[in-house]
Amino acid sequence: MKKIVVLALGIGLIVGLVFLAMNMSKKSKVSDLSLIDFAVIDTASVDKITIYDTYFDREFTLIRNDEGVWTDTKGGCVQQEIPKMMLETMLKITLKGYVPQSAMENMKKQMMAKHKQVKIFQNGEWTKTWFVGHSTQDHMGTYMLLETPEKKSDNPVIMGMKGFYGILEPRFFTDERKFMCTELFSYKREELNSVEVINNVSPHESFRIEKQGNTYQVSSQGIPLQNINRNNLIYYLNGFEKIHFNQPNYTFSEKEIDSLKKVKPDYKLFIKGKNSDYSMTFYRRLDPDYSNADTTVYDEDYLWGVKEDGELVRMQFYTIGPLIHGQTVFVDNSVNN
C-alpha cells in the first residue's frame, strides 16, 4: 500500500513538472512572439510616422493626409518615395537572430546611448515604436527593440528585411533636407507669357522673350534680337517643364548663405505664366577640386540657386544651363548681319 502511495505521488509529481514545463514553454513562446512582432501588415492604415534621432537630438514627422499624400507637419511637400520605403520596411521586416546572452548588457548600453526611435501610428492611434540601433558586424542585420501599448521588450534582437541584404537604420532619418521635394517649377510652352534672363557675367547675353499672339518677341537689353531660329526658340521654350534642383545645401552655414545673398547674383531668371509666376537667382560655384588660391575656377557641373522662399539649393548646370544661356540655343550666329 505504501509503495502504491509513493508511486502515485511520483507520477503526480512528474505530471506536474511536465505541465509546468509546457506552461513555461508556452509563456516563453508568447514572450518571444511579442518581442519580435515588428511587422506592420496593414501599411495602408499607417497615417503618421515620427522619427527621433538621439544622436542629433532631432525629430521629423511624416503625416498622410486625406488624399493619401505624405507631407510634413506643416503640410509641406516631401518626396513620396521616402515614406513608401519606410512602409516597405515595416511590411517586410523579419527576425534574423537573437543577441547572445554574453553580449546583451553591452548591447543594451550601446542602444541606450544611440538609437533612432520610430513611432508608428495607424488610423490615428499609436501602435508600435521601433528602437533602431546599429548594425551587426557583417552589416546584414540591425539591432532593434520593440514597444507596443501592451509591453516593451527588455532585450534587443537582430532584425532584417525580406529580399534586402543590408542595414535598416539608414532607412530612417531626421534631416529635413533629405525629405525636400526637388521640383522648382514646371511650365508648358503654351503657359508661358514671358521669360527674362539677366546675365551679369556677360550682360550682352541677357534676353527677354515675350509672347505676342501666336508669335514671340525676343530682345536683349531692350533691343530686338536678330537671326532668331524659330524652331530652336520653340525647343528652348519647351524646356521649362519639370525643372528640379539637384540637392539641398549641405555646404554653407547660415552666415555664409547670408553673405552670398548680399553679392550681386550671376544670373536672374524671371518667368511669367498664365496662372503663376516664378523667379530665381543663381551664383556660380567655385570648383571644389581646384585649390589654387591665385586663380578662380568655377564648377562646370553645378551652380547655386536661391529659390523664391530664400532656400539655397544646388543646381545641375545640365538642367538650368540651357535656360539661362538661351541665346546659344535660339540665336543663329552663323548668319552674317
Side-chain angles (χ1 to χ4, degrees), residues 61-247:
T61 296
L62 290 158
I63 296 175
R64 180 156 29 192
N65 63 24
D66 294 338
E67 288 72 41
V69 178
W70 289 93
T71 70
D72 61 20
T73 54
K74 298 178 181 178
C77 181
V78 299
Q79 296 183 52
Q80 298 300 295
E81 291 305 312
I82 295 175
K84 287 180 181 178
M85 173 190 67
M86 294 179 181
L87 293 177
E88 179 190 29
T89 309
M90 294 174 192
L91 177 64
K92 296 182 179 180
I93 194 167
T94 186
L95 178 69
K96 296 274 297 185
Y98 293 92
V99 179
Q101 197 61 39
S102 59
M104 187 64 74
E105 287 305 314
N106 183 51
M107 193 56 58
K108 287 181 180 180
K109 291 178 182 178
Q110 291 186 45
M111 286 199 66
M112 188 178 297
K114 182 183 177 183
H115 65 268
K116 292 176 181 176
Q117 180 178 306
V118 182
K119 297 188 73 172
I120 302 167
F121 296 79
Q122 295 175 264
N123 299 319
E125 299 291 332
W126 167 63
T127 55
K128 294 184 180 183
T129 296
W130 293 3
F131 296 87
V132 186
H134 60 285
S135 69
T136 54
Q137 283 190 334
D138 61 3
H139 298 286
M140 300 298 285
T142 304
Y143 295 105
M144 296 176 62
L145 274 165
L146 175 66
E147 181 181 9
T148 68
E150 291 77 31
K151 65 179 299 182
K152 180 179 179 180
S153 302
D154 293 323
N155 299 326
V157 290
I158 302 170
M159 303 300 294
M161 178 177 159
K162 297 173 185 175
F164 175 78
Y165 301 95
I167 310 167
L168 302 184
E169 181 268 338
R171 290 179 161 241
F172 300 93
F173 44 85
T174 56
D175 189 339
E176 63 181 8
R177 293 171 296 184
K178 293 183 179 181
F179 291 91
M180 288 174 60
C181 291
T182 59
E183 183 174 356
L184 295 169
F185 55 85
S186 184
Y187 291 91
K188 293 183 178 180
R189 176 170 55 86
E190 304 80 37
E191 298 171 341
L192 293 170
N193 289 331
S194 69
V195 172
E196 183 176 10
V197 172
I198 297 176
N199 188 328
N200 290 319
V201 178
S202 302
H204 66 281
E205 293 184 5
S206 300
F207 61 90
R208 177 180 173 83
I209 303 170
E210 191 167 1
K211 187 175 183 180
Q212 295 183 346
N214 295 323
T215 187
Y216 297 94
Q217 178 66 43
V218 186
S219 61
S220 177
Q221 298 178 306
I223 302 173
L225 274 174
Q226 305 300 316
N227 307 326
I228 302 298
N229 184 310
R230 296 293 167 176
N231 289 332
N232 287 354
L233 179 61
I234 297 300
Y235 174 81
Y236 169 79
L237 293 172
N238 283 333
F240 282 78
E241 286 192 66
K242 298 180 180 179
I243 302 300
H244 291 249
F245 63 83
N246 172 251
Q247 68 171 216

